Amino acid sequence: MYRVLIVEDEPAIAETMKKQIECWGNEAACVTDFQNVVAKFASYDPHLVLMDIMLPFYNGYHWCTEIRKISDVPVIFVSSASDNMNIVMAMNMGGDDFITKPFDLTVLTAKINALLRRTYDMGSRISVLEHNGAVLNLGDATVTYQGNKTELTKNDFLILKTLMENKGKTVSRDTLMTKLWQMDCYVEENTLTVNVTRLRKKLEQAGLKDFIKTKVGAGYIIE
């Protein structure tokens, strides 16, 4: 079962696409907050995106570019603006296909299924974790915030991944030390503090101040 994210501001069209996708045994979700499309993308973690061009606040080209900063998930543009310039622009902005409105539901389904087949029968997909605008790419160990990408070391990545997977919960120091050094019994406890401090500095430089909080005597948390 695949997940499809629908970025379409006409509720009737969005619901029609959603029902058609679900009829074929897949899942679908519609974006309703058009100022925070990337946050919805990260939390839903879709296998494919259907993207309108004319949207409130920012157009579909903008959101496709933002998604491309953190993921290679396939994007199909769906728009009535189907002149050659818009089709070329859609492809140049990272789109994988273009469907013209009004569309036939069987054509929409065929294009979705073909792109899903080509993408996921030939390789694995890249997942992301998101919290308060920070997007952790599990494929290339980078964190992106407000369009700026920061590379992480192996330990940076493991700490941040563990905390983001448990956001809202305190993760003990012992848990983090086990994640980082596994069976090595000779690692000093202060080594974890050094690693967390280094990660915090890196996050602050990216604009994420106080992203990781200390729970004295308990561990660390992303609230």
Side-chain angles (χ1 to χ4, degrees), residues 150-192:
T150 302
E151 294 185 1
L152 303 175
T153 66
K154 177 185 174 184
N155 284 0
D156 291 340
F157 173 72
L158 288 173
I159 293 169
L160 192 55
K161 178 175 180 287
T162 303
L163 292 174
M164 289 184 74
E165 286 175 338
N166 295 277
K167 58 189 177 185
K169 302 175 185 176
T170 300
V171 178
S172 70
R173 291 177 61 86
D174 286 345
T175 297
L176 287 173
M177 290 183 72
T178 300
K179 287 277 187 182
L180 267 60
W181 295 289
Q182 298 179 0
M183 300 304 294
D184 191 341
C185 301
Y186 302 102
V187 176
E188 293 184 9
E189 191 172 349
N190 186 56
T191 306
L192 176 61

mmCIF file of all heavy atoms in Angstrom, residues 150-192:
data_model
loop_
_atom_site.group_PDB
_atom_site.id
_atom_site.type_symbol
_atom_site.label_atom_id
_atom_site.label_comp_id
_atom_site.label_asym_id
_atom_site.label_seq_id
_atom_site.Cartn_x
_atom_site.Cartn_y
_atom_site.Cartn_z
ATOM 1 N N THR A 150 22.270 21.164 6.576
ATOM 2 C CA THR A 150 23.459 20.984 7.401
ATOM 3 C C THR A 150 23.840 19.512 7.426
ATOM 4 O O THR A 150 22.995 18.658 7.705
ATOM 5 C CB THR A 150 23.199 21.460 8.852
ATOM 6 O OG1 THR A 150 22.811 22.841 8.822
ATOM 7 C CG2 THR A 150 24.445 21.303 9.708
ATOM 8 N N GLU A 151 25.088 19.224 7.141
ATOM 9 C CA GLU A 151 25.561 17.845 7.178
ATOM 10 C C GLU A 151 25.869 17.440 8.611
ATOM 11 O O GLU A 151 26.378 18.232 9.402
ATOM 12 C CB GLU A 151 26.805 17.685 6.299
ATOM 13 C CG GLU A 151 26.525 17.882 4.813
ATOM 14 C CD GLU A 151 27.743 17.598 3.954
ATOM 15 O OE1 GLU A 151 28.800 17.227 4.519
ATOM 16 O OE2 GLU A 151 27.632 17.732 2.731
ATOM 17 N N LEU A 152 25.572 16.180 8.934
ATOM 18 C CA LEU A 152 25.776 15.666 10.284
ATOM 19 C C LEU A 152 26.809 14.543 10.286
ATOM 20 O O LEU A 152 26.893 13.774 9.334
ATOM 21 C CB LEU A 152 24.456 15.130 10.850
ATOM 22 C CG LEU A 152 23.276 16.102 10.909
ATOM 23 C CD1 LEU A 152 22.026 15.376 11.364
ATOM 24 C CD2 LEU A 152 23.581 17.272 11.835
ATOM 25 N N THR A 153 27.571 14.455 11.369
ATOM 26 C CA THR A 153 28.455 13.305 11.545
ATOM 27 C C THR A 153 27.603 12.096 11.934
ATOM 28 O O THR A 153 26.406 12.219 12.224
ATOM 29 C CB THR A 153 29.490 13.567 12.652
ATOM 30 O OG1 THR A 153 28.784 13.679 13.907
ATOM 31 C CG2 THR A 153 30.276 14.843 12.393
ATOM 32 N N LYS A 154 28.231 10.937 11.972
ATOM 33 C CA LYS A 154 27.504 9.726 12.335
ATOM 34 C C LYS A 154 26.865 9.863 13.715
ATOM 35 O O LYS A 154 25.687 9.546 13.905
ATOM 36 C CB LYS A 154 28.448 8.520 12.323
ATOM 37 C CG LYS A 154 27.787 7.218 12.768
ATOM 38 C CD LYS A 154 28.797 6.095 12.855
ATOM 39 C CE LYS A 154 28.164 4.838 13.440
ATOM 40 N NZ LYS A 154 29.151 3.746 13.637
ATOM 41 N N ASN A 155 27.623 10.354 14.706
ATOM 42 C CA ASN A 155 27.080 10.498 16.052
ATOM 43 C C ASN A 155 26.012 11.589 16.128
ATOM 44 O O ASN A 155 25.006 11.439 16.815
ATOM 45 C CB ASN A 155 28.202 10.781 17.055
ATOM 46 C CG ASN A 155 29.006 9.538 17.388
ATOM 47 O OD1 ASN A 155 28.731 8.453 16.880
ATOM 48 N ND2 ASN A 155 30.001 9.680 18.243
ATOM 49 N N ASP A 156 26.238 12.717 15.416
ATOM 50 C CA ASP A 156 25.220 13.767 15.337
ATOM 51 C C ASP A 156 23.898 13.163 14.861
ATOM 52 O O ASP A 156 22.828 13.388 15.445
ATOM 53 C CB ASP A 156 25.614 14.864 14.337
ATOM 54 C CG ASP A 156 26.801 15.702 14.796
ATOM 55 O OD1 ASP A 156 27.082 15.718 16.002
ATOM 56 O OD2 ASP A 156 27.424 16.331 13.927
ATOM 57 N N PHE A 157 23.995 12.417 13.786
ATOM 58 C CA PHE A 157 22.816 11.828 13.149
ATOM 59 C C PHE A 157 22.094 10.860 14.085
ATOM 60 O O PHE A 157 20.866 10.910 14.229
ATOM 61 C CB PHE A 157 23.220 11.123 11.853
ATOM 62 C CG PHE A 157 22.103 10.348 11.199
ATOM 63 C CD1 PHE A 157 21.062 11.013 10.564
ATOM 64 C CD2 PHE A 157 22.088 8.964 11.229
ATOM 65 C CE1 PHE A 157 20.029 10.305 9.967
ATOM 66 C CE2 PHE A 157 21.062 8.248 10.639
ATOM 67 C CZ PHE A 157 20.023 8.920 10.008
ATOM 68 N N LEU A 158 22.839 9.976 14.737
ATOM 69 C CA LEU A 158 22.221 8.981 15.619
ATOM 70 C C LEU A 158 21.530 9.641 16.812
ATOM 71 O O LEU A 158 20.439 9.226 17.214
ATOM 72 C CB LEU A 158 23.271 7.981 16.100
ATOM 73 C CG LEU A 158 23.773 6.978 15.045
ATOM 74 C CD1 LEU A 158 24.930 6.162 15.595
ATOM 75 C CD2 LEU A 158 22.636 6.056 14.601
ATOM 76 N N ILE A 159 22.158 10.679 17.368
ATOM 77 C CA ILE A 159 21.546 11.387 18.496
ATOM 78 C C ILE A 159 20.251 12.056 18.048
ATOM 79 O O ILE A 159 19.195 11.906 18.672
ATOM 80 C CB ILE A 159 22.515 12.436 19.081
ATOM 81 C CG1 ILE A 159 23.722 11.755 19.738
ATOM 82 C CG2 ILE A 159 21.792 13.316 20.108
ATOM 83 C CD1 ILE A 159 24.841 12.709 20.104
ATOM 84 N N LEU A 160 20.335 12.825 16.950
ATOM 85 C CA LEU A 160 19.168 13.581 16.490
ATOM 86 C C LEU A 160 18.047 12.644 16.044
ATOM 87 O O LEU A 160 16.869 12.882 16.333
ATOM 88 C CB LEU A 160 19.571 14.519 15.354
ATOM 89 C CG LEU A 160 18.546 15.577 14.938
ATOM 90 C CD1 LEU A 160 18.124 16.421 16.134
ATOM 91 C CD2 LEU A 160 19.103 16.464 13.829
ATOM 92 N N LYS A 161 18.388 11.584 15.356
ATOM 93 C CA LYS A 161 17.382 10.605 14.901
ATOM 94 C C LYS A 161 16.656 9.992 16.098
ATOM 95 O O LYS A 161 15.425 9.896 16.114
ATOM 96 C CB LYS A 161 18.051 9.510 14.074
ATOM 97 C CG LYS A 161 17.102 8.410 13.596
ATOM 98 C CD LYS A 161 17.851 7.440 12.681
ATOM 99 C CE LYS A 161 16.940 6.320 12.176
ATOM 100 N NZ LYS A 161 16.629 5.337 13.219
ATOM 101 N N THR A 162 17.407 9.578 17.107
ATOM 102 C CA THR A 162 16.800 8.958 18.284
ATOM 103 C C THR A 162 15.866 9.927 19.003
ATOM 104 O O THR A 162 14.753 9.568 19.401
ATOM 105 C CB THR A 162 17.889 8.461 19.259
ATOM 106 O OG1 THR A 162 18.752 7.550 18.568
ATOM 107 C CG2 THR A 162 17.273 7.758 20.453
ATOM 108 N N LEU A 163 16.311 11.187 19.146
ATOM 109 C CA LEU A 163 15.490 12.179 19.839
ATOM 110 C C LEU A 163 14.240 12.546 19.031
ATOM 111 O O LEU A 163 13.154 12.717 19.598
ATOM 112 C CB LEU A 163 16.316 13.430 20.133
ATOM 113 C CG LEU A 163 17.448 13.256 21.158
ATOM 114 C CD1 LEU A 163 18.283 14.524 21.259
ATOM 115 C CD2 LEU A 163 16.884 12.890 22.532
ATOM 116 N N MET A 164 14.380 12.665 17.707
ATOM 117 C CA MET A 164 13.230 13.023 16.884
ATOM 118 C C MET A 164 12.236 11.874 16.784
ATOM 119 O O MET A 164 11.026 12.097 16.672
ATOM 120 C CB MET A 164 13.685 13.484 15.493
ATOM 121 C CG MET A 164 14.372 14.839 15.517
ATOM 122 S SD MET A 164 14.839 15.476 13.886
ATOM 123 C CE MET A 164 13.239 15.976 13.229
ATOM 124 N N GLU A 165 12.718 10.643 16.826
ATOM 125 C CA GLU A 165 11.819 9.488 16.832
ATOM 126 C C GLU A 165 11.018 9.419 18.132
ATOM 127 O O GLU A 165 9.953 8.791 18.185
ATOM 128 C CB GLU A 165 12.613 8.194 16.654
ATOM 129 C CG GLU A 165 13.116 7.973 15.236
ATOM 130 C CD GLU A 165 14.010 6.750 15.109
ATOM 131 O OE1 GLU A 165 14.579 6.320 16.139
ATOM 132 O OE2 GLU A 165 14.161 6.251 13.989
ATOM 133 N N ASN A 166 11.542 10.046 19.175
ATOM 134 C CA ASN A 166 10.889 10.041 20.485
ATOM 135 C C ASN A 166 10.487 11.438 20.930
ATOM 136 O O ASN A 166 10.476 11.725 22.134
ATOM 137 C CB ASN A 166 11.831 9.413 21.519
ATOM 138 C CG ASN A 166 12.112 7.955 21.248
ATOM 139 O OD1 ASN A 166 11.331 7.092 21.624
ATOM 140 N ND2 ASN A 166 13.231 7.675 20.586
ATOM 141 N N LYS A 167 10.180 12.325 19.976
ATOM 142 C CA LYS A 167 9.875 13.716 20.325
ATOM 143 C C LYS A 167 8.726 13.774 21.337
ATOM 144 O O LYS A 167 7.753 13.032 21.252
ATOM 145 C CB LYS A 167 9.550 14.532 19.078
ATOM 146 C CG LYS A 167 8.401 14.036 18.242
ATOM 147 C CD LYS A 167 8.331 14.809 16.943
ATOM 148 C CE LYS A 167 7.226 14.277 16.049
ATOM 149 N NZ LYS A 167 7.206 14.937 14.738
ATOM 150 N N GLY A 168 8.915 14.647 22.319
ATOM 151 C CA GLY A 168 7.941 14.754 23.396
ATOM 152 C C GLY A 168 8.222 13.822 24.558
ATOM 153 O O GLY A 168 7.555 13.891 25.589
ATOM 154 N N LYS A 169 9.221 12.941 24.382
ATOM 155 C CA LYS A 169 9.594 12.007 25.443
ATOM 156 C C LYS A 169 11.063 12.213 25.806
ATOM 157 O O LYS A 169 11.896 12.502 24.945
ATOM 158 C CB LYS A 169 9.410 10.558 24.986
ATOM 159 C CG LYS A 169 7.994 10.211 24.554
ATOM 160 C CD LYS A 169 7.954 8.796 24.010
ATOM 161 C CE LYS A 169 6.576 8.453 23.466
ATOM 162 N NZ LYS A 169 6.560 7.093 22.851
ATOM 163 N N THR A 170 11.376 12.036 27.071
ATOM 164 C CA THR A 170 12.765 12.135 27.508
ATOM 165 C C THR A 170 13.505 10.847 27.164
ATOM 166 O O THR A 170 13.031 9.748 27.466
ATOM 167 C CB THR A 170 12.849 12.375 29.030
ATOM 168 O OG1 THR A 170 12.174 13.600 29.340
ATOM 169 C CG2 THR A 170 14.299 12.463 29.488
ATOM 170 N N VAL A 171 14.647 10.989 26.494
ATOM 171 C CA VAL A 171 15.493 9.839 26.150
ATOM 172 C C VAL A 171 16.665 9.829 27.132
ATOM 173 O O VAL A 171 17.380 10.825 27.266
ATOM 174 C CB VAL A 171 16.002 9.933 24.702
ATOM 175 C CG1 VAL A 171 16.910 8.749 24.375
ATOM 176 C CG2 VAL A 171 14.828 9.992 23.727
ATOM 177 N N SER A 172 16.852 8.726 27.808
ATOM 178 C CA SER A 172 17.897 8.655 28.834
ATOM 179 C C SER A 172 19.291 8.686 28.209
ATOM 180 O O SER A 172 19.487 8.315 27.046
ATOM 181 C CB SER A 172 17.746 7.379 29.664
ATOM 182 O OG SER A 172 18.071 6.234 28.889
ATOM 183 N N ARG A 173 20.248 9.103 29.007
ATOM 184 C CA ARG A 173 21.640 9.109 28.566
ATOM 185 C C ARG A 173 22.103 7.689 28.235
ATOM 186 O O ARG A 173 22.840 7.468 27.269
ATOM 187 C CB ARG A 173 22.528 9.745 29.635
ATOM 188 C CG ARG A 173 22.310 11.249 29.805
ATOM 189 C CD ARG A 173 23.164 11.815 30.940
ATOM 190 N NE ARG A 173 24.577 11.608 30.671
ATOM 191 C CZ ARG A 173 25.347 12.433 29.959
ATOM 192 N NH1 ARG A 173 24.821 13.524 29.425
ATOM 193 N NH2 ARG A 173 26.626 12.183 29.768
ATOM 194 N N ASP A 174 21.657 6.714 29.029
ATOM 195 C CA ASP A 174 22.042 5.322 28.779
ATOM 196 C C ASP A 174 21.554 4.845 27.413
ATOM 197 O O ASP A 174 22.274 4.144 26.697
ATOM 198 C CB ASP A 174 21.481 4.407 29.875
ATOM 199 C CG ASP A 174 22.229 4.542 31.188
ATOM 200 O OD1 ASP A 174 23.341 5.111 31.179
ATOM 201 O OD2 ASP A 174 21.705 4.084 32.215
ATOM 202 N N THR A 175 20.350 5.227 27.069
ATOM 203 C CA THR A 175 19.801 4.838 25.761
ATOM 204 C C THR A 175 20.637 5.414 24.628
ATOM 205 O O THR A 175 20.968 4.716 23.659
ATOM 206 C CB THR A 175 18.341 5.313 25.625
ATOM 207 O OG1 THR A 175 17.537 4.661 26.604
ATOM 208 C CG2 THR A 175 17.794 5.003 24.234
ATOM 209 N N LEU A 176 20.980 6.693 24.748
ATOM 210 C CA LEU A 176 21.779 7.337 23.708
ATOM 211 C C LEU A 176 23.180 6.734 23.627
ATOM 212 O O LEU A 176 23.711 6.506 22.526
ATOM 213 C CB LEU A 176 21.871 8.844 23.959
ATOM 214 C CG LEU A 176 20.590 9.641 23.684
ATOM 215 C CD1 LEU A 176 20.756 11.085 24.135
ATOM 216 C CD2 LEU A 176 20.226 9.585 22.200
ATOM 217 N N MET A 177 23.775 6.429 24.767
ATOM 218 C CA MET A 177 25.117 5.850 24.764
ATOM 219 C C MET A 177 25.109 4.465 24.130
ATOM 220 O O MET A 177 26.025 4.088 23.400
ATOM 221 C CB MET A 177 25.680 5.796 26.185
ATOM 222 C CG MET A 177 26.016 7.183 26.733
ATOM 223 S SD MET A 177 26.775 7.177 28.368
ATOM 224 C CE MET A 177 28.413 6.541 27.957
ATOM 225 N N THR A 178 24.038 3.708 24.374
ATOM 226 C CA THR A 178 23.913 2.387 23.742
ATOM 227 C C THR A 178 23.775 2.524 22.235
ATOM 228 O O THR A 178 24.352 1.756 21.467
ATOM 229 C CB THR A 178 22.700 1.630 24.314
ATOM 230 O OG1 THR A 178 22.870 1.464 25.721
ATOM 231 C CG2 THR A 178 22.560 0.262 23.673
ATOM 232 N N LYS A 179 22.986 3.520 21.785
ATOM 233 C CA LYS A 179 22.808 3.755 20.347
ATOM 234 C C LYS A 179 24.138 4.105 19.685
ATOM 235 O O LYS A 179 24.438 3.658 18.575
ATOM 236 C CB LYS A 179 21.817 4.908 20.122
ATOM 237 C CG LYS A 179 20.377 4.575 20.404
ATOM 238 C CD LYS A 179 19.720 3.896 19.224
ATOM 239 C CE LYS A 179 18.230 3.728 19.472
ATOM 240 N NZ LYS A 179 17.577 3.015 18.347
ATOM 241 N N LEU A 180 24.941 4.923 20.379
ATOM 242 C CA LEU A 180 26.177 5.425 19.777
ATOM 243 C C LEU A 180 27.324 4.429 19.856
ATOM 244 O O LEU A 180 28.091 4.290 18.901
ATOM 245 C CB LEU A 180 26.586 6.743 20.449
ATOM 246 C CG LEU A 180 26.087 8.025 19.773
ATOM 247 C CD1 LEU A 180 24.576 8.075 19.715
ATOM 248 C CD2 LEU A 180 26.621 9.257 20.492
ATOM 249 N N TRP A 181 27.451 3.771 20.989
ATOM 250 C CA TRP A 181 28.650 2.946 21.174
ATOM 251 C C TRP A 181 28.363 1.475 21.449
ATOM 252 O O TRP A 181 29.268 0.693 21.667
ATOM 253 C CB TRP A 181 29.500 3.549 22.295
ATOM 254 C CG TRP A 181 30.014 4.899 21.897
ATOM 255 C CD1 TRP A 181 30.963 5.173 20.968
ATOM 256 C CD2 TRP A 181 29.567 6.177 22.393
ATOM 257 N NE1 TRP A 181 31.149 6.524 20.853
ATOM 258 C CE2 TRP A 181 30.306 7.178 21.716
ATOM 259 C CE3 TRP A 181 28.630 6.573 23.349
ATOM 260 C CZ2 TRP A 181 30.141 8.532 21.959
ATOM 261 C CZ3 TRP A 181 28.455 7.923 23.589
ATOM 262 C CH2 TRP A 181 29.205 8.885 22.901
ATOM 263 N N GLN A 182 27.100 1.102 21.459
ATOM 264 C CA GLN A 182 26.654 -0.282 21.560
ATOM 265 C C GLN A 182 27.359 -1.050 22.682
ATOM 266 O O GLN A 182 27.134 -0.783 23.850
ATOM 267 C CB GLN A 182 26.801 -0.969 20.201
ATOM 268 C CG GLN A 182 25.923 -0.309 19.150
ATOM 269 C CD GLN A 182 26.038 -0.925 17.783
ATOM 270 O OE1 GLN A 182 26.789 -1.871 17.568
ATOM 271 N NE2 GLN A 182 25.296 -0.392 16.841
ATOM 272 N N MET A 183 28.236 -1.970 22.317
ATOM 273 C CA MET A 183 28.811 -2.871 23.327
ATOM 274 C C MET A 183 30.119 -2.358 23.933
ATOM 275 O O MET A 183 30.746 -3.041 24.726
ATOM 276 C CB MET A 183 29.062 -4.261 22.702
ATOM 277 C CG MET A 183 27.803 -4.939 22.166
ATOM 278 S SD MET A 183 26.493 -5.122 23.416
ATOM 279 C CE MET A 183 27.281 -6.269 24.537
ATOM 280 N N ASP A 184 30.524 -1.157 23.547
ATOM 281 C CA ASP A 184 31.782 -0.625 24.097
ATOM 282 C C ASP A 184 31.544 -0.137 25.524
ATOM 283 O O ASP A 184 30.916 0.885 25.760
ATOM 284 C CB ASP A 184 32.286 0.530 23.213
ATOM 285 C CG ASP A 184 33.712 0.933 23.571
ATOM 286 O OD1 ASP A 184 34.157 0.594 24.680
ATOM 287 O OD2 ASP A 184 34.364 1.573 22.733
ATOM 288 N N CYS A 185 32.051 -0.886 26.505
ATOM 289 C CA CYS A 185 31.804 -0.580 27.921
ATOM 290 C C CYS A 185 32.780 0.455 28.479
ATOM 291 O O CYS A 185 32.691 0.821 29.653
ATOM 292 C CB CYS A 185 31.891 -1.861 28.764
ATOM 293 S SG CYS A 185 30.708 -3.125 28.248
ATOM 294 N N TYR A 186 33.729 0.889 27.663
ATOM 295 C CA TYR A 186 34.806 1.733 28.186
ATOM 296 C C TYR A 186 34.678 3.196 27.793
ATOM 297 O O TYR A 186 35.602 3.978 27.964
ATOM 298 C CB TYR A 186 36.161 1.192 27.720
ATOM 299 C CG TYR A 186 36.377 -0.247 28.158
ATOM 300 C CD1 TYR A 186 36.217 -1.291 27.260
ATOM 301 C CD2 TYR A 186 36.714 -0.552 29.470
ATOM 302 C CE1 TYR A 186 36.389 -2.611 27.659
ATOM 303 C CE2 TYR A 186 36.881 -1.874 29.885
ATOM 304 C CZ TYR A 186 36.725 -2.890 28.964
ATOM 305 O OH TYR A 186 36.887 -4.192 29.373
ATOM 306 N N VAL A 187 33.521 3.579 27.270
ATOM 307 C CA VAL A 187 33.299 4.974 26.885
ATOM 308 C C VAL A 187 32.932 5.785 28.122
ATOM 309 O O VAL A 187 32.038 5.418 28.889
ATOM 310 C CB VAL A 187 32.170 5.079 25.837
ATOM 311 C CG1 VAL A 187 31.878 6.541 25.521
ATOM 312 C CG2 VAL A 187 32.556 4.327 24.576
ATOM 313 N N GLU A 188 33.618 6.899 28.326
ATOM 314 C CA GLU A 188 33.301 7.766 29.457
ATOM 315 C C GLU A 188 31.971 8.467 29.221
ATOM 316 O O GLU A 188 31.646 8.861 28.096
ATOM 317 C CB GLU A 188 34.403 8.816 29.639
ATOM 318 C CG GLU A 188 35.745 8.234 30.060
ATOM 319 C CD GLU A 188 36.771 9.320 30.311
ATOM 320 O OE1 GLU A 188 36.383 10.509 30.329
ATOM 321 O OE2 GLU A 188 37.949 8.979 30.498
ATOM 322 N N GLU A 189 31.219 8.640 30.298
ATOM 323 C CA GLU A 189 29.898 9.255 30.186
ATOM 324 C C GLU A 189 29.997 10.681 29.666
ATOM 325 O O GLU A 189 29.102 11.165 28.962
ATOM 326 C CB GLU A 189 29.188 9.232 31.539
ATOM 327 C CG GLU A 189 27.724 9.613 31.444
ATOM 328 C CD GLU A 189 26.984 9.397 32.748
ATOM 329 O OE1 GLU A 189 27.549 8.770 33.658
ATOM 330 O OE2 GLU A 189 25.844 9.877 32.845
ATOM 331 N N ASN A 190 31.086 11.374 29.985
ATOM 332 C CA ASN A 190 31.265 12.752 29.530
ATOM 333 C C ASN A 190 31.355 12.843 28.007
ATOM 334 O O ASN A 190 31.098 13.896 27.429
ATOM 335 C CB ASN A 190 32.533 13.342 30.163
ATOM 336 C CG ASN A 190 32.679 14.823 29.849
ATOM 337 O OD1 ASN A 190 31.780 15.602 30.136
ATOM 338 N ND2 ASN A 190 33.806 15.192 29.255
ATOM 339 N N THR A 191 31.709 11.737 27.354
ATOM 340 C CA THR A 191 31.820 11.733 25.894
ATOM 341 C C THR A 191 30.473 12.042 25.249
ATOM 342 O O THR A 191 30.403 12.722 24.228
ATOM 343 C CB THR A 191 32.340 10.371 25.395
ATOM 344 O OG1 THR A 191 33.557 10.061 26.056
ATOM 345 C CG2 THR A 191 32.595 10.398 23.895
ATOM 346 N N LEU A 192 29.393 11.555 25.848
ATOM 347 C CA LEU A 192 28.060 11.849 25.317
ATOM 348 C C LEU A 192 27.761 13.340 25.430
ATOM 349 O O LEU A 192 27.241 13.947 24.489
ATOM 350 C CB LEU A 192 26.990 11.045 26.058
ATOM 351 C CG LEU A 192 25.542 11.355 25.638
ATOM 352 C CD1 LEU A 192 25.325 11.036 24.162
ATOM 353 C CD2 LEU A 192 24.555 10.569 26.509
#
